[in-house]
Amino acid sequence: MTYQSPIAPGISFYEATISDRPAYPALSGPATADVVIVGGGFTGLQAAHHLAASGKDVVLIDGARFGDGASGRNGGQLGTGQRAWVEESAEDFGPDNAKAQFAVAERAKAHLLAFAEAHGIDADYRPGQISAAHKPGYVADYRDHVKIMTEEYGYQGLRFLDREQLAAALGSTRYHGGTHDAGTGHINPLKYLVGLARAASVAGARLHENTRARAISSAGGKVTVKTDAGDIVAGKALIACNAFIDGLEPVTSAHVMPIRSFIGATVPLGDDSPVIPGGESVDDSRFVVRYFRKSADGRLLFGGREAYTSDNPADISSHIRRQIAEIYPALKDVEITHSWGGSVGITLSRRPFVREVMPDVTSIGGFSGHGVMLSNYCGKLYADFVNGGSDDLEVMRNLKVGPFPGGDKLRAPLLFLALTWFSLRDKL
């Protein structure tokens, strides 16, 4: 019987088709370690691997199974740079800092691919990403972006696509222009995560699924994580819960909030399908972004519906199918074989949250839909930090990430109102 995540709706295409997903035992009693990590997604497992490989004694716990959160259920797109374009980062932080952020992101991309190669992880990587403007008024921004990336940042992988070129690349006339990025691509995220967990275990990290952290505290140079099986006491701790912070630590809870995102997988479209003939991943210019790509066996994996509450829709497939039909009218009746959702951690500025939230306790999360490569790299950077320092982690620490307004009672309704407005603006 296919495993159903207890923390996320639907059975994903990734879960239903993966042939080898090892289980890891729950914690069976109190433990001590050099470092305790809460969260078994990309960030936590990367940190666990690199710390264990350097000789640190590491215990990692997760309240569900590894990959039940966003790391194992996302759209699989790597992207280039930070979530914000370099133009926005330069305006907010200055050109030198924007270039530092871009360099970090490029190293994150290289790290993800190099790690997979070094550890024999076949994650169905395919190159190429298309970004599409859903309004004519945005096309000039895409053209200018290519010029800035090429001339000011030295990035040679990006080229502009006019409307006709984009239509040919997508197999759809819905969009008005965009870019093609040959320097990035997309993966099967659950395959990558399974390989990452295996690498962390082989390196010596003690990994425990189905072990929920109930509380965390720091005093006297020691960090204590309380679980139902007993306390874990360590010299340092990493909180890598992202959208599943669930009140564990108040500073992170004030800065990182969950939203739901949903994906559907169609039947294989066939070798003669005009949909994305080059096999790239695609994202568009909506605030409530639509993101899609074809799987290794030719299915369209389409994500686009967000929900700003913890509720799950009764029927994910019908909503996804309507959005597919807007872009690909010929697929209005396509069979959707799998539909699923999950929680994504976002921040107010849509930049990652990296901060020491109490003595010897670092929290990392809030990748805001741009986490496949950044979350992996931030886990490595945390290990580097513990082992002596990391300039790249300091770049991430210095990003402007403020708390959501309104406190515990009002911030969720305020977020709902704000993001609903942006989703309405996408349609104007």
Side-chain angles (χ1 to χ4, degrees):
M1 183 175 180
T2 303
Y3 169 76
Q4 169 65 62
S5 166
I7 62 172
I11 296 172
S12 76
F13 166 72
Y14 311 130
E15 290 169 317
T17 56
I18 195 167
S19 59
D20 180 20
R21 188 182 180 190
Y24 296 86
L27 188 70
S28 59
T32 59
D34 296 325
V35 183
V36 57
I37 299 171
V38 182
F42 288 146
T43 304
L45 288 168
Q46 280 282 355
H49 169 269
H50 288 280
L51 286 166
S54 72
K56 295 291 191 295
D57 184 15
V58 181
V59 172
L60 181 150
I61 62 172
D62 191 284
R65 292 195 67 187
F66 304 149
D68 278 5
S71 293
R73 300 173 70 85
N74 64 72
Q77 301 190 21
L78 273 62
T80 289
Q82 304 284 340
R83 190 184 189 279
W85 278 1
V86 292
E87 297 93 313
E88 183 180 337
S89 294
E91 183 176 340
D92 290 344
F93 298 97
D96 290 343
N97 188 278
K99 289 178 179 178
Q101 290 183 44
F102 179 74
V104 168
E106 281 297 279
R107 287 191 284 273
K109 187 193 302 178
H111 168 262
L112 183 145
L113 298 176
F115 189 91
E117 182 176 2
H119 295 277
I121 302 172
D122 180 6
D124 298 337
Y125 176 75
R126 296 189 72 179
Q129 180 161 341
I130 296 167
S131 296
H134 80 291
K135 294 182 180 181
Y138 292 171
V139 173
D141 292 336
Y142 280 76
R143 191 189 302 272
D144 292 343
H145 180 61
V146 173
K147 182 179 176 66
I148 291 168
M149 289 284 284
T150 303
E151 296 181 1
E152 298 183 24
Y153 288 79
Y155 186 72
Q156 303 301 316
L158 204 62
R159 63 185 175 91
F160 177 74
L161 300 176
D162 64 23
R163 184 165 189 161
E164 290 73 23
Q165 291 169 323
L166 182 61
L170 294 181
S172 169
T173 60
R174 175 63 183 82
Y175 293 99
H176 302 275
T179 59
H180 183 279
D181 190 346
T184 188
H186 53 97
I187 63 171
N188 179 318
L190 188 57
K191 281 188 174 182
Y192 195 97
L193 184 129
V194 167
L196 171 56
R198 185 179 287 111
S201 179
V202 169
R206 291 178 279 161
L207 307 181
H208 300 285
E209 297 179 319
N210 298 307
T211 303
R212 184 174 179 179
R214 299 294 182 180
I216 186 167
S217 59
S218 178
K222 294 291 183 182
V223 178
T224 301
V225 175
K226 292 188 175 297
T227 78
D228 292 339
D231 292 353
I232 306 170
V233 179
K236 294 184 181 296
L238 170 64
I239 298 173
C241 301
N242 202 25
F244 295 94
I245 187 65
D246 294 332
L248 176 66
E249 191 283 311
V251 178
T252 308
S253 296
H255 290 78
V256 179
M257 286 188 64
I259 63 170
R260 291 289 207 195
S261 187
F262 302 93
I263 303 176
T266 72
V267 293
L269 300 182
D271 293 339
D272 60 346
S273 171
V275 174
I276 324 176
E280 300 91 345
S281 58
V282 184
D283 69 280
D284 72 13
S285 57
R286 289 175 174 86
F287 184 86
V288 183
V289 64
R290 295 184 184 177
Y291 53 98
F292 47 101
R293 64 190 183 93
K294 287 201 291 190
S295 63
D297 65 349
R299 301 167 188 266
L300 180 63
L301 308 184
F302 191 99
R305 184 173 187 266
E306 292 183 358
Y308 307 118
T309 71
S310 60
D311 297 334
N312 297 316
D315 181 5
I316 299 172
S317 295
S318 62
H319 293 281
I320 294 296
R321 188 182 290 106
R322 282 198 294 271
Q323 292 186 342
I324 290 174
E326 290 179 22
I327 300 171
Y328 297 107
L331 298 181
K332 63 183 179 64
D333 297 319
V334 69
E335 179 185 352
I336 294 180
T337 60
H338 305 82
S339 56
W340 68 97
S343 292
V344 179
I346 68 169
T347 65
L348 191 61
S349 65
R350 297 295 180 103
R351 294 183 170 97
F353 176 76
V354 181
R355 189 169 304 178
E356 186 175 66
V357 294
M358 62 181 75
D360 299 312
V361 179
T362 296
S363 182
I364 301 177
F367 295 100
S368 303
H370 198 69
V372 175
M373 64 182 191
L374 289 177
S375 61
N376 271 278
Y377 194 50
C378 280
K380 175 195 180 296
L381 296 183
Y382 174 75
D384 293 343
F385 162 74
V386 170
N387 286 326
S390 168
D391 291 339
D392 280 0
L393 192 66
E394 289 306 306
V395 172
M396 305 300 282
R397 285 185 193 273
N398 291 330
L399 298 177
K400 296 176 182 176
V401 178
F404 286 94
D408 291 341
K409 293 183 178 179
L410 292 179
R411 64 193 181 102
L414 287 173
L415 177 67
F416 174 82
L417 290 173
L419 296 184
T420 299
W421 158 247
F422 279 112
S423 68
L424 290 172
R425 193 180 71 172
D426 283 339
K427 301 173 183 177
L428 298 177

